[in-house]
Amino acid sequence: MAEREPVAGREPPDDTDCTVLHADMDAFYAGVEVRRRPELRGLPVIVGGSGSRGVVLSATYEAREFGVRSAMPMSRARRLCPQAVVVPPRMTEYASVSANVMEIFQSVTPLVEPLSLDEAFLDVAGARRLLGSPTAIAELIRARVADEQGVTCSVGVAPVKFVAKVASAASKPDGLLVVPKAEVLAFLHPLPVSALWGVGEKTEQALTRLGLHTIGDVAAVPEKTLRRALGEAHGGHLAALARGQDPRRVVSTEPDRSIGSEETFERDTDSTEAVEREILRLSQRVASRMRSAGYKGRTVTLKIRFSDFTTVTRSRTLAEPTDVSRDVHSTAIMLFRALGLQRARLRLVGVRVEGLLDAAAATHQLTLGERDRGWREAELAADRAVHRFGRNVVRPASLLPGTETTRVSAEGP
Amino acid sequence: MSDWSDPFVHLHVASSYSMRYGACPPEQLAARAAELEMGTLALTDRDGVYGVVKFARACERAGVRPMFGVDLAVSPEEGASDMPALAARAPRSRTPVRGGMEVDRRLPRVTLLAQDGPGWARLCRLVSAAHSTGGRGTPVVTREQVAEQFAGHAAGMFVLLGPQSEVGRAVAARRPDRARSLLSRWSTVIPRPDLLVEVVNHRGEGDAERAAAMVALADDAGLGAVLANSVRYLDRAGAAVVDVLDAVRRLVPLDGRHVDRRTAEGYLKSSKEMAEVAEDLERYVGGARVRRLLAETAVVAQRCAVDPRADLGIDEIHFPELSVTSGAAGTAGPSGAGSGSGQEADADAILLLRCEAGLHRRGMTETPAVRERLTEELSVIRLLGYPTYFLTVAEIVDLIRGRGIRCAARGSGAGSLVNYLLGISDVDPMRYGLLMERFLSPLRRELPDIDIDVESARRLEVYQAVMDRFGTERCACVSMMETYRARHAIRDVGAALALPAGEVDAIAKAFPHIRASQVRAALQDLPELRASGWAEGPTAERMAVFFRIVEQLDGLPRHIAMHPCGLILSDATLLDRTPVEDSFLGFPMSQFDKDDVEDLGLLKLDLLGIRMQSAIVHALSEVERVDGAVPDIDGAPRDDPDTFGLIQSTRTLGCFQIESPGQRELIGKFAPETFDDIIIDISLFRPGPVKSDMVTPFLEARQGWRMPSYLYSGLESVLRETGGVIVFHEQVLRVVSIMTGCSLAEADEVRRSLGDPEGQEEMRTWFRPAALAQGHPADLVERAWEVLKAFGSFGFCKAHAAAFALPTYQSAWLKAHHPAAFVAGVLTHDPGMYPKRLILDDARQFGIAVLGLDVNCSEAEYRVERVSPTEPRTELCTAPRTDLGSNVGWDPGSAPRVDAGSDPGSDPGTDAHCDQAPAALPPGQNWRTAGHGYGVRLSLSDVKGITDQEVQRIVSGRPYASLSDFWLRTGTSRPVVERLVMAGGFDSVHGIASGRGVTRRDLLLQVGDLDTWSRSAQRMTRGRSRSRRGGRLHGEPPGPGLSDMARGSTPAPVQLALDLGDTPTDVLPSGLPEMTDPERVRAELEILGVDASSHVLSFDEPMLEELGVVRSQSLLQQRSRAEVLVAGVKVATQTPPVRSGRRVIFVTLDDASGPVDATFFEDAQGEYAATVFHSWMLLIRGVLRRTGPSGVSVRATGCWDLTVIRQVWERGGIEAVYRALEAADPAEPGGSSEAPATRRKVLVHPTGFRMSPYADIRPAGGSTTTAPRRLWHSSPGSAGG
C-alpha cells in the first residue's frame, strides 16, 4: 500500500492525454459491511465464510495490517488477527451496491468496462467537454461514490488502461493518482515486475531468474530477448507494457453470459455420494434460475476444487440448449464420474451453464416419439409451486432432510 | 464337557503388530488375559507374526499359555465380482484424474492357528509365501497355497473361516447358496477336523442372526464351529483408536463410510461377557448348540499346543551348519552331516587352527601371557558352544575383505584376542589392555555381539555377498518396527480429521521429535508451542480432540523397515522359524526385530555401513588418481606428528568422532598425543562422563595441576592411564576384581548391575563384605564404592573406543596429509554432522581451492584437481574468509592464511610431503600447507533434480564444445540444464568469467531456444516414432533401436541441421544483466545446497556493519557481559541435557569469520524459540559470557530471522530495524513465557542426574545440514502460521 500521491499542494499534474480511469473500490465487501454497521469503523473486519472452513473474501485495511489477505483460509486469518470481527458475506447486498456504483460510472461515460463487482475501467475522452478534466472527473466519481454509496474507491488516471490500473493500486486506499503521459515511464520503472499486467507468480519467477526485477529492468532489455524468453506473444506484450504502451481500448462489454452456482463443503469430503447429491442440488438451482430468467444454455461446466485448492473444470456442450434440471444434472454427473476420483478430497463443487440464449429464441428439435410434456414441464410446475409455497415444497427425494450437508455458499451471478 | 463357567479362550486376537489395525500391544493383551483368569490366549496378527516373540515372553511373565496364529488375506474366488458386497470392492478401471487410488482392497481373510511345531513351521512358510505372492505391502495367499500345506498329511494348523472370509461375507450378503458353495471348496482341500467356521457376534444390528447363520452353515457342512470375538483393542475405550487406524490405513478421512466397526464390542472380553455374547445366539440355535460351540472352542484351544521353546525356538541357538561355514575356508572337511557334538568338536579344532595361524599372520610373539589368554578365551568359547559362531563371523569378514571392501570390528568384540587372530578385529587387545570378559562371559548365556563396520557405499553389496554365500534359506535381514511418535501421529491424525495439509505440516514441524504421548505435555511445557495458540482461541476445542487422538497412537507400530545393519544367519531351517518379506530394497527381511532375533537364538551380525569408511576409500582413490600412489593408511605409524598436530589444533571438521563443537573444545584442552589418548578422548566425550563431570578431574591430572588419586596403590596400574579417573568399563571390571578378589567375569556382572538403583543397592550389600574380607580398610572400601557408584553405568567400553579410535586416527591422518582428497571424500559421502557448505569453507581455510561446477570437469563425486598455487584466489574465492576452527584452543593469530605465495618451501607436488615436513615448518605443522596446490571440484550429483543416468551420460560424453553440443548429446532434462547454467556449469565452456560478453542469462535463453527446437524436431517426426519425452536424446533422429543404443556410454552425436546456434560463438549477448554476486550465491544454495563462490552472509555486510553486529573473530575482544548482536547461518541446534533439568537451546552460527555459540535459557525461549528452530539465518542479541581463556558464548536475549530483518532494513533503513527489534520485546520481560517451576517435568537418572524431557531430542524445525530451498522467500515463524 503506497502513500497517496498528494494531488493538491503542487502544480496539478498534466492530465491532458489521461483519458483512461481505473476505479477500484477499497476493501469493497468489508466497506459495505462497515457502512451498514458504523460501530465497526476503524476495526479489523473480515468478510468471509464464518466457519473454520471459509476463505477471506475481503478485509479492511485495519485487518490487512495484521497480514490478513483475500483468499486466505479463514482459520489462518483468525490466527493472524484474533480480534478481527468476522462478518458472513451478503453477496446480494454487494451486487446491489456494485450496480449502483456502476450506474454512477455510467452517468459519467457510456464507455465503462467492468472487470468485476468492484472495479471498472472508464474512458472519459468524450466526457471532458461536459465534466472537465480527467482529474476532475475522477474526483467527481470518488465524491459521488462516497456520498451516495457510503463506500470509498481509489482511482488511477493515466493515458492507457494498464497504467491506470497500476495507478489506482498505488493510490489505495481512498486515493487518486494521475500519471501524466510524460511521467508514465518514471512512474512505472521502479515498480516490481509483478505490477505488470499478466505477470503472475510463474512469469515473475522467470523474469527474476533473468535478473529482471523492476519494470525498468524489463524495459531496458531488447524486445527480441523478451520474446525469446517468454514466447512471442507474451514477451512482446510485456515489452510494450514496460514501455507504458497498452493498445487495449476500454470497451463496454457485458459480462460473459452464464449462470452457475457452487458450494464449499463444511469439511473436505471424499464421499462420492455427498458430492453427487450436491451436484444434483446445484444443477437444480442453476436450471431453476435459468428458467426464471428465461435463458437456455448449451454448455455445462463442472468445477471441482480439491482440498489443496487446486481446481479442475470439465465441460461438455449439449446437442441443443436446455434449461431442464435433469439435463444439467445428468451432464454434470457424467463429467464428475469421468474424473474417476477415488480418495481425492474435495473442497468445493460447482455447476455452471454457459452459452446462454433467450429461451424463446432457442430452437428445439423434436425427436421421434418424444413425449410432449416432459421434464421441462414438470420442472416448470415445480417452479410455480416453489414460487407460491416456498423453497422446500418440491425437491428430489435424495435431497430430503437428513441428507443435508451444511454449506458455505458463494454464488455466481 | 465344558460348562459356562469355564474360562473362555480368545482364538482371534489382533495386537498392535497388525499394523494400522490393532490398537493394543501384545504385552497388555497377555496381562489382561491373566487378569481375566484366562489360562490361554491366541495372537493372530494380520499378515504376519511380528509380535509373536514379545507375546510369548509376555505370556510367560503373565502365566498365560500362548497360542500362535495369523490372519491372512486370501485372493477372492473367480466370479466374486458379481457380488460387490462380497470381496474386494470391484477395482475401478479408470485411473483417477488426480492420484489417490484406493489403497485397501478389503480382501477376504482367513485365520490360521498352529497346533504344533511342524504346524508353526508351515504357518511361517505360508506367511512368507503370502508376502512373496502379493508383493511388497500387499500380502495375499490363494486357497491353493493354503491347501498345499495340507496336501497328503496333517498340516498341524487350523483354518478358521469367519465373518471376514468370503464365506462370511456371502452370509452377510444373504447369499447362503454362495456361502455353501464357497465353504465346500475349502472343505475339499482342508481336512475336516482342521477346518472351522468362526462365529463372531459384535452385537450390532443383525450380528446375532449372521452369527447364527454361520453356525447353521457349519452344521450343514458337518464342520466344527468356534466362537471368537475378532479382538482389535483392549477395552471399549480403544474403539476410537481403531477408527483412526482404519482411516489412516486407507488414507481417507475419518468417516462412517471408512470405518470397519459398528459397535465397540471387539475388545478382549471376559469369560462372562463372552458367555453373554453366546447367549444371544440361543434364540436362534438353541442352548445346546451354543454350549457345544463353546465346548468346541475350548477343544480347539487345547489342541493348539505350540511350545515357545521347543517349537518357536526361543532361547535355543541355531548357528549355520559347520559344513557351510567352513566349506569355503579350505580347512579339513569335517563330516557335514555329523552329529551335534561331533560338529562342535570339529568346529573347535578348526577354530584353534585358525587362531594359531593368526598368531603368525599378526606377527605376535607367543609369550606365556598370549598363550594363556588364547587358551582361556578358547575354553570359554568351547564351554558356551560358540566355535561355529566365531568361524561364521570370520568367514564373513574374509568374504568382505576378499571383495576389497574396508571393514572393521567395533564394540566389545575388539576385546577378544580370538577376534584379533581371526582377523575380525584389527585392534590388538593385549597391547591396549582390553578384556574379553566385557564381550563374552561364561556367566552369560547370551550370544556375544560382534559389530562389523563396512563402507556405507558398499553395504548392500556386502549383504548380497553374504546372502549369496549362505543362501537365502539361512540368511535374512533383521527388520525394525517403526512406531508412532509425535510428528507421524500428527500427520496421520491430521489427515484422518481432514485438517488442511499445510496446517498439519506446520503443526508437525513445530514439535520436537518427542513421543506422541507427550504432545499435550509439550504444549504446556514449551514456550514456543504455548505461543502457537493451539491450546486457546476458537480452534481450541477441535485441537484438544486432535491432540488426544494423537496421543492414543503413541508407540503403535506403523511401518516395518529393514534394520540398517542387522543380518541373521542360521541353519537351513531358518524359514521354519521366521517368515520373511521383501524389504524396500528387495532383500528378504525377517518379520522379527533385533530383540526378537536374539530371543530366538539366531546369529545376528551387525553390518553397519560407515560413511567415513567410504569417505576414506574415496580419499585414497583420489590421492592415487592425482598423485599416483595409494598411501598405506592401515600401515601408517600411529604416532604421526602431523596427525597429532592437526588434532591438537582442533581443526578437525570432518574427522570421525572428533568434529563436534564439544569434542573440539575437549581436544583443545586435552591435546591428545598418542593413539591411547584418542581412545580416552572418545570415551570421555559421552553423555555419562560429561554429566557426572569426570572430565575435569581427568584434565586436571593430565595437565599436572593435580596429583592423580588412585585410591590405593593396588589400583594404580589400572587407573594410571586415565589419571585416576575411571573412564573405561575394563577399569571397573579390574577395580571390582582387585577389591573383592572375584573373577573378571563376575566383575562384569557387577558392572551391569550398576545401571539401576535396585542393582546398585544389591551390589552394595555384596561389595562391602567382599572387599572387607580381602583385608581392605573400611574407609577405602567406602571410597572405592562411592567411585564405582558415581561411575554408574556411564563409562565406556575401551574395546569399543579403541575400535572407534582407528577410523578417527585415520581420518585425521588423511586430513593432515591429503586434505584435498580428504575433503573430497567427506563431501562425497557426507559422513559428518555439518552441512557441506561448512566443510567447503574449512577446505578453503586449508588453502584448498574450491572449483566451481563445470560440465567438462565435474563428475558424480567430488574430485581433486591440481591447481597452480595462486589459483585459489582467482577461481572463486571472492570474499576473504578466515578460519572456522573451534572457538576453544584456537588462537586467531596463528590461523593459516590462505596465501600460497608466502610459502615457497612447500611443494605439494610430491609424495614426499606426506612423510617429511619441509624445513620451513616445525615438526607436526606440515598439515597447514598440505592442501596448497590442490582444489576440490564440485560434483554433478549435488545438482538438484539430476538423475544418476544424467550424470553418467554427461560424464561419458565429455568434452562438450558448447551448450548446444551438450544439449544434443546428453539428453539432460531442461530444468537440470537450466540449473547447470545457473550454477555456472557452462562458465568455462563459454568463457563467461573472462568477460567475452556472454552471460549465464544468455545461455538460459539458449536453453529455451534449444528446447523449442527439439520439440519441433520431435513433432516433425512424431508420426514415425512415438517415444516418450525425456527418454530420448534431444533432437535425436528417429530410427529403430537407435534411441536404445545411443543412451548411456555411447551417445550418438547426430547433428541435425540446426539453424540455431550450435557453437559457443553463436550464443549471442541478449542484453540481459549478468548475475550479481548475491544472485550467484543464491543460485548455488538453491541448486547445489552450498554457497561456493562466497559466503552467503557477505552480502549483508553493509547492514551488519550498520547494526554493529560483532563477528566471531572479534567476539573475544569484547568485554564480558557486554550486550552484543551476532548474526550468521545456523549450523547446529542442540538441546543437550544440562544439570539443572531445564531445556537449554544451544545454537551455533557460522558468520564467515568463525563460529558463534549462543545459548537460549528458558527465560529467552518464549518469544524466540520458534524463530531459533525454524529460521536458517539468524540475528541474535545477547550478553557476552566468557567460558574459558579463549572461549566466549552469547547468552541470548533475543533472536530474529535475518532475512526478515534484511527486508526491514532495505525498506526502512536502520531506524526501522531498531524499531523492529524493540517491537519484538515483550512488554514484561518473560511475562508470558514463564512456566511455573513446580510444573516443569524432569527426568531423574538413576545416578541422580536430572534432565529435561526435551533434552537430547531432535528439536523442532528442519535439519540444519541442508540449506532451505527457497531461502529468500521463507517466511519467519511459519510454524505458527
Side-chain angles (χ1 to χ4, degrees), chain B residues 425-615:
Chain B
S425 148
D426 278 333
V427 180
D428 179 352
M430 304 301 282
R431 179 169 169 197
Y432 294 104
L434 311 179
L435 299 176
M436 176 200 59
E437 285 77 4
R438 173 67 183 72
F439 163 64
L440 187 64
S441 155
L443 300 180
R444 286 197 310 275
R445 285 202 71 87
E446 63 188 47
L447 278 175
D449 242 355
I450 301 182
D451 303 342
I452 310 282
D453 291 349
V454 299
E455 296 169 40
S456 61
R458 299 180 71 182
R459 178 175 63 100
L460 297 178
E461 184 186 334
V462 171
Y463 277 32
Q464 195 57 58
V466 175
M467 299 257 175
D468 291 347
R469 170 74 181 74
F470 289 86
T472 46
E473 72 276 14
R474 286 187 189 80
C475 183
C477 297
V478 180
S479 65
M480 58 182 196
M481 203 50 91
E482 289 172 7
T483 56
Y484 274 106
R485 294 181 66 82
R487 285 186 168 196
H488 265 294
I490 287 171
R491 285 184 194 286
D492 278 3
V493 176
L497 296 188
L499 261 58
E503 195 135 328
V504 173
D505 186 59
I507 298 173
K509 282 196 184 135
F511 278 87
H513 294 252
I514 52 174
R515 294 186 58 96
S517 60
Q518 292 176 319
V519 291
R520 283 188 292 178
L523 274 171
Q524 293 285 317
D525 293 347
L526 298 180
E528 71 273 20
L529 293 178
R530 278 205 302 277
S532 69
W534 288 315
E536 57 222 41
T539 54
E541 205 173 312
R542 210 159 46 99
M543 296 306 286
V545 175
F546 171 77
F547 286 121
R548 201 164 57 239
I549 299 176
V550 166
E551 293 196 346
Q552 284 173 322
L553 293 193
D554 180 63
L556 295 184
R558 49 172 281 270
H559 177 66
I560 187 165
M562 187 167 119
H563 191 274
C565 56
L567 271 189
I568 46 177
L569 287 160
S570 181
D571 54 26
T573 66
L574 176 68
L575 298 183
D576 288 339
R577 278 171 289 121
T578 171
V580 293
E581 56 184 86
D582 274 357
S583 75
F584 176 71
L585 296 166
F587 287 104
M589 169 173 80
S590 163
Q591 290 194 329
F592 296 124
D593 70 12
K594 63 179 176 29
D595 300 329
D596 296 346
V597 158
E598 266 174 31
D599 282 349
L600 287 174
L602 300 170
L603 189 163
K604 175 168 74 71
L605 195 63
D606 277 357
L607 278 169
L608 190 60
I610 297 293
R611 286 163 175 266
M612 181 52 76
Q613 294 289 1
S614 284

Side-chain angles (χ1 to χ4, degrees), chain B residues 837-991:
Chain B
R837 48 176 298 279
L838 206 62
I839 299 294
L840 272 181
D841 200 56
D842 186 53
R844 267 181 288 240
Q845 312 310 328
F846 276 72
I848 299 162
V850 175
L851 307 171
L853 196 70
D854 187 332
V855 291
N856 278 335
C857 300
S858 293
E859 298 196 3
E861 298 161 326
Y862 283 81
R863 288 288 154 143
V864 175
E865 289 177 26
R866 298 290 281 270
V867 296
S868 70
T870 51
E871 204 166 339
R873 286 234 164 264
T874 56
E875 174 76 7
L876 271 171
C877 201
T878 55
R881 314 190 63 172
T882 44
D883 174 78
L884 198 133
S886 166
N887 55 336
V888 175
W890 167 62
D891 169 15
S894 71
R897 296 291 146 184
V898 183
D899 193 351
S902 69
D903 194 6
S906 86
D907 175 11
T910 66
D911 291 321
H913 76 291
C914 305
D915 308 310
Q916 286 179 339
L921 288 164
Q925 294 298 308
N926 202 16
W927 58 270
R928 292 186 186 279
T929 54
H932 293 191
Y934 292 88
V936 173
R937 179 70 67 184
L938 299 185
S939 84
L940 289 172
S941 308
D942 278 353
V943 173
K944 192 170 84 186
I946 201 165
T947 64
D948 290 348
Q949 289 87 339
E950 284 173 331
V951 170
Q952 205 190 329
R953 278 206 298 262
I954 292 171
V955 171
S956 61
R958 294 189 312 204
Y960 303 101
S962 68
L963 174 59
S964 42
D965 181 28
F966 179 91
W967 176 267
L968 285 170
R969 290 198 291 122
T970 65
T972 309
S973 78
R974 174 172 173 177
V976 170
V977 178
E978 288 178 340
R979 286 180 204 132
L980 286 167
V981 167
M982 298 287 281
F986 291 92
D987 282 9
S988 68
V989 176
H990 284 271

Side-chain angles (χ1 to χ4, degrees), chain B residues 797-813:
Chain B
C797 172
K798 186 178 181 186
H800 187 44
F804 257 7
L806 197 56
T808 301
Y809 179 81
Q810 289 175 335
S811 60
W813 186 90

Side-chain angles (χ1 to χ4, degrees), chain A residues 79 209 225 228 270 343 345, chain B residues 257-258 495 1009 1070 1281:
Chain A
R79 241 195 344 264
R209 203 170 61 163
T225 298
R228 273 177 76 196
D270 67 337
R343 282 195 298 107
R345 298 182 197 187
Chain B
R257 292 170 295 119
H258 300 310
D1009 292 344
S1070 59

